[in-house]
Amino acid sequence: MEIKYKLYPYPVLSSYSDDYKNGSFDATIDVVRDGYNYRLDFLATLTCQSLLERIKNGDAKYVYHLECAQTGFRTVIQTDQLSETYTLFSQTVNGKLQICPFVVAVKDLNGYSSSDFHDDYQGEVFDIEAGCVLAVGKMVVLDITKNTDDIANTPSIFSITRNPDTSCHQMLVDMSQRKIMIKLPWDDFTNYSALQSLPEAQSILNSLTVVPALVYVLGQLRAQSPDERNENNSDTLWYKVLSKTLSTKFDCEIESTQFDALNFMELAQKLVNDPLSDAFKFLVNSPTSSGGEDE
């Protein structure tokens, strides 16, 4: 969605019109990388007193329209606060993300008027329906270019196999090999293989296998000194990829005390693009789901 210069049947505060003689509206939008995802920080600047009063009274809100043409992603963020934060998941966008800031009526405004109107509108009143635009800011375009060579999008550092020990009925993790070996009991591996062909089930598989395996590996690394981490694991592929990912995506060196202070349960989920939410959605929307309600 691109903001185009347009005329409204009522006064709208914008940089390209003189409908208001006083005040201005715009928004600063900062993007901060949060692992594979992005944190969007919004800060609105509104100097029109009459519109500020409308927001304070609950008649209007700041609205940010986000749209990525390449992926079809589209969402709207509403807030009555000058500052707002939103987490943008990397799988939803790729390429240019357009963000359009508005002030929008959230209630019907009958007899809408303002002393800030241009002199030509003084004494005029307007009936504004909920959802109508009251102010328009400048569109911001962010270039969200994804790097597909990461833990979340490649199976390069994991190898999920059947445990040859038939007496073992638990998942085991071996980090001594070139890849992180996830060994499943015989029946579990058979079920895993059947689900692996379903792309929509990948989030469930990652939640059940990769996330706990990463928690284990990260915990084992923390038990080693920074020098031992490099000495014991530098020859493995998984350590090189994990070290690079933590450095470039999370601004954390694996051979540092900063690494020791991380929450590994949270980090493990972020490293594979937070699969838990998608897993729950898949389960709830599956044909066998009862909707979570008791009969």
Side-chain angles (χ1 to χ4, degrees), residues 189-203:
F189 182 77
T190 299
N191 294 329
Y192 173 87
S193 299
L195 289 170
Q196 193 178 22
S197 61
L198 302 174
E200 61 270 24
Q202 195 60 51
S203 59

Side-chain angles (χ1 to χ4, degrees), residues 22-289:
N22 297 314
S24 63
F25 169 64
D26 210 346
T28 301
I29 304 170
D30 293 325
V31 56
V32 180
R33 182 178 288 278
D34 182 16
Y36 294 122
N37 301 321
Y38 301 88
R39 191 187 77 234
L40 302 181
D41 294 332
F42 301 92
L43 179 61
T45 303
L46 179 61
T47 61
C48 177
Q49 191 58 41
S50 59
L51 287 179
L52 286 169
E53 287 296 325
R54 291 290 182 179
I55 295 174
K56 180 179 179 181
N57 295 335
D59 297 330
K61 287 187 177 181
Y62 302 103
V63 171
Y64 301 95
H65 182 279
L66 283 62
E67 184 171 327
C68 178
Q70 186 167 333
T71 64
F73 169 76
R74 182 182 299 174
T75 193
V76 170
I77 301 166
Q78 297 187 39
T79 179
D80 58 4
Q81 302 297 313
L82 286 172
S83 61
E84 186 64 45
T85 298
Y86 176 78
T87 298
L88 182 70
F89 294 105
S90 64
Q91 62 264 38
T92 61
V93 296
N94 190 30
K96 296 187 181 303
L97 175 69
Q98 297 175 333
I99 304 178
C100 303
F102 302 97
V103 175
V104 174
V106 294
K107 298 179 180 178
D108 291 340
L109 305 179
N110 297 318
Y112 176 65
S113 182
S114 171
S115 60
D116 294 315
F117 285 169
H118 188 277
D119 291 341
D120 291 344
Y121 293 107
Q122 289 300 320
E124 299 289 337
V125 294
F126 302 88
D127 291 334
I128 308 295
E129 295 182 352
C132 288
V133 172
L134 302 178
V136 180
K138 296 177 182 177
M139 183 178 70
V140 175
V141 179
L142 302 178
D143 189 7
I144 308 293
T145 303
K146 294 191 293 186
N147 178 7
T148 58
D149 185 22
D150 55 40
I151 294 175
N153 296 313
T154 69
S156 60
I157 73 167
F158 299 99
S159 180
I160 301 179
T161 63
R162 174 181 280 134
N163 192 334
D165 183 0
T166 57
S167 66
C168 182
H169 301 290
Q170 291 77 38
M171 182 181 80
L172 299 179
V173 178
D174 179 4
M175 52 188 284
S176 66
Q177 308 297 316
R178 182 172 179 269
K179 297 182 180 182
I180 296 172
M181 307 294 293
I182 301 176
K183 300 178 181 180
L184 297 177
W186 278 61
D187 290 344
D188 291 349
F189 182 77
T190 299
N191 294 329
Y192 173 87
S193 299
L195 289 170
Q196 193 178 22
S197 61
L198 302 174
E200 61 270 24
Q202 195 60 51
S203 59
I204 296 178
L205 298 180
N206 284 343
S207 298
L208 291 173
T209 59
V210 175
V211 169
L214 277 172
V215 173
Y216 171 80
V217 169
L218 293 170
Q220 292 297 109
L221 289 174
R222 179 157 59 188
Q224 304 171 11
S225 69
D227 290 340
E228 288 176 332
R229 291 168 199 165
N230 182 66
E231 181 180 348
N232 296 341
N233 308 290
S234 60
D235 292 336
T236 64
L237 173 65
W238 68 260
Y239 184 81
K240 295 175 182 177
V241 174
L242 181 60
S243 178
K244 179 181 177 182
T245 301
L246 288 174
S247 177
T248 59
K249 304 291 186 182
F250 294 85
D251 194 26
C252 175
E253 299 301 325
I254 199 170
E255 295 156 15
S256 69
T257 55
Q258 179 189 5
F259 170 81
D260 297 335
L262 294 175
N263 182 321
F264 289 160
M265 177 59 75
E266 180 180 342
L267 177 60
Q269 295 175 74
K270 288 184 176 180
L271 282 168
V272 285
N273 252 335
D274 297 303
L276 198 58
S277 294
D278 288 339
F280 279 126
K281 290 177 184 176
F282 172 75
L283 291 172
V284 167
N285 295 323
S286 65
T288 57
S289 172

